[in-house]
Amino acid sequence: MEQDIFQELREKGKVVIRVSPNKETTSVTEKTDDGKWKLSLHAPAHEGKANAEVLRFFRKVGGVDAEIVFGRKSKEKLIRIIP
């Protein structure tokens, strides 16, 4: 499933995710019916740690440099590849 989110990001240039911080591991858990990807994050939602974990996940696991375009202070985020 993790490869699917990276494939979509490469094809469309962006993805919408919904994060759940403070989990045991960082991973993609599912794609919802409305097209959003759910991510479990090990990092807490405190002082930007969850956002940093999201970007680190895309870079380390997916091999893509990405940025958070929308949702820095929300559980729902728009992620875009950095051109």
Side-chain angles (χ1 to χ4, degrees):
M1 181 170 304
E2 285 182 352
Q3 293 308 312
D4 294 340
I5 191 173
F6 302 122
Q7 181 178 347
E8 183 176 323
L9 181 59
R10 287 183 183 99
E11 289 174 0
K12 296 183 177 180
K14 61 184 177 182
V15 291
V16 177
I17 64 170
R18 181 157 182 89
V19 299
S20 296
N22 295 316
K23 300 298 180 188
E24 190 172 315
T25 62
T26 296
S27 64
V28 177
T29 58
E30 69 177 296
K31 186 172 184 181
T32 63
D33 291 339
D34 61 356
K36 296 173 186 155
W37 292 91
K38 287 189 174 182
L39 270 73
S40 293
L41 299 177
H42 180 70
H46 182 69
E47 296 180 355
K49 291 179 182 176
N51 288 338
E53 181 78 11
V54 167
L55 299 178
R56 188 171 29 258
F57 174 78
F58 278 94
R59 185 173 50 255
K60 289 181 83 175
V61 178
V64 291
D65 284 325
E67 65 181 342
I68 300 171
V69 178
F70 176 80
R72 290 189 186 278
K73 296 190 181 266
S74 171
K75 288 187 176 191
E76 192 167 297
K77 302 172 185 306
L78 174 63
I79 307 297
R80 179 179 69 178
I81 290 179
I82 296 175

